[in-house]
Amino acid sequence: MKRALASGLVFVQIVLLVGLLVLPHGTVWPVNGFVVATAIALIAVGVALAVQGSTTLGPAMTASPIPRDDAPLATNGVYAVVRNPIYTGLMSGGLGLVVIGSSLMHVVVWVALIGLLAGKTRWEEQMLFEEHPAYSDYAARVGRFLPGVGRIR
C-alpha cells in the first residue's frame, strides 16, 4: 500500500508538471520581455536546484518519497541550505512556467503542485525521522524549501 501511494504521488506530480508545460497560454497579464526574462530566470534556478539536489543524492536519488534503504542522510552541498532542493527547484521552475503561461489554469496547477509536494515532503520527512536519528537536528537547522523557513524544532 505504501509503495502504491508513493507511485500515485509521483504520477500526479508528473501530470501537474506536464500540465504546466502544455496548458494553453493565457492573457491574464501581458507577456513582455521582462516577464520572459523573469520566467527564464525562475526556470534556470529551478533546473539548477533540481540537478544539484539529484547529483548530491547520487545513488540515494529516487522520485518516490520512500527513502532508499541504508541511504546516507544528505546534509551537504545544496542540502546544507534547504532540506528539499529538488522540490524547491520544481516549484521555482513551475512558477517560471506560470509567469510565461499567463493563465489562471497555470496558477491553479502550480498551487496544486505546491500542495502535492508539501504533502509528499511531510510524509517523506516522517520516514527520515524514523530512519536517521540525526534528521531531527538537521531539520531544526535547515529550512524545508527556503533557507531558514520551515525548520522543525
Side-chain angles (χ1 to χ4, degrees):
M1 182 67 176
K2 189 174 176 180
R3 296 231 179 259
L5 175 58
S7 295
L9 290 172
V10 171
F11 177 76
V12 173
Q13 176 182 317
I14 291 168
V15 168
L16 292 171
L17 289 166
V18 169
L20 287 174
L21 285 168
V22 301
L23 280 170
H25 290 279
T27 57
V28 175
W29 51 84
V31 178
N32 54 32
F34 175 76
V35 170
V36 171
T38 301
I40 290 170
L42 285 166
I43 292 167
V45 166
V47 168
L49 283 170
V51 168
Q52 286 180 349
S54 298
T55 303
T56 301
L57 283 179
M61 173 61 189
T62 176
S64 170
I66 301 170
R68 292 196 190 270
D69 290 336
D70 300 322
L73 179 61
T75 59
N76 60 322
V78 70
Y79 286 90
V81 181
V82 292
R83 294 193 311 270
N84 299 282
I86 297 170
Y87 294 167
T88 301
L90 293 175
M91 290 181 211
S92 175
L95 180 57
L97 294 172
V98 169
V99 168
I100 198 100
S102 184
S103 81
L104 291 179
M105 276 309 299
H106 279 86
V107 174
V108 168
V109 170
W110 183 67
V111 169
L113 177 65
I114 290 172
L116 177 94
L117 293 175
K120 191 175 167 188
T121 297
R122 290 183 191 280
W123 184 34
E124 184 175 346
E125 287 186 331
Q126 287 175 351
M127 291 179 273
L128 289 168
F129 275 113
E130 294 169 7
E131 189 168 329
H132 298 284
Y135 195 80
S136 183
D137 289 336
Y138 172 62
R141 285 189 328 270
V142 179
R144 181 174 281 133
F145 300 120
L146 298 171
V149 178
R151 291 180 293 178
I152 299 173
R153 295 172 197 214

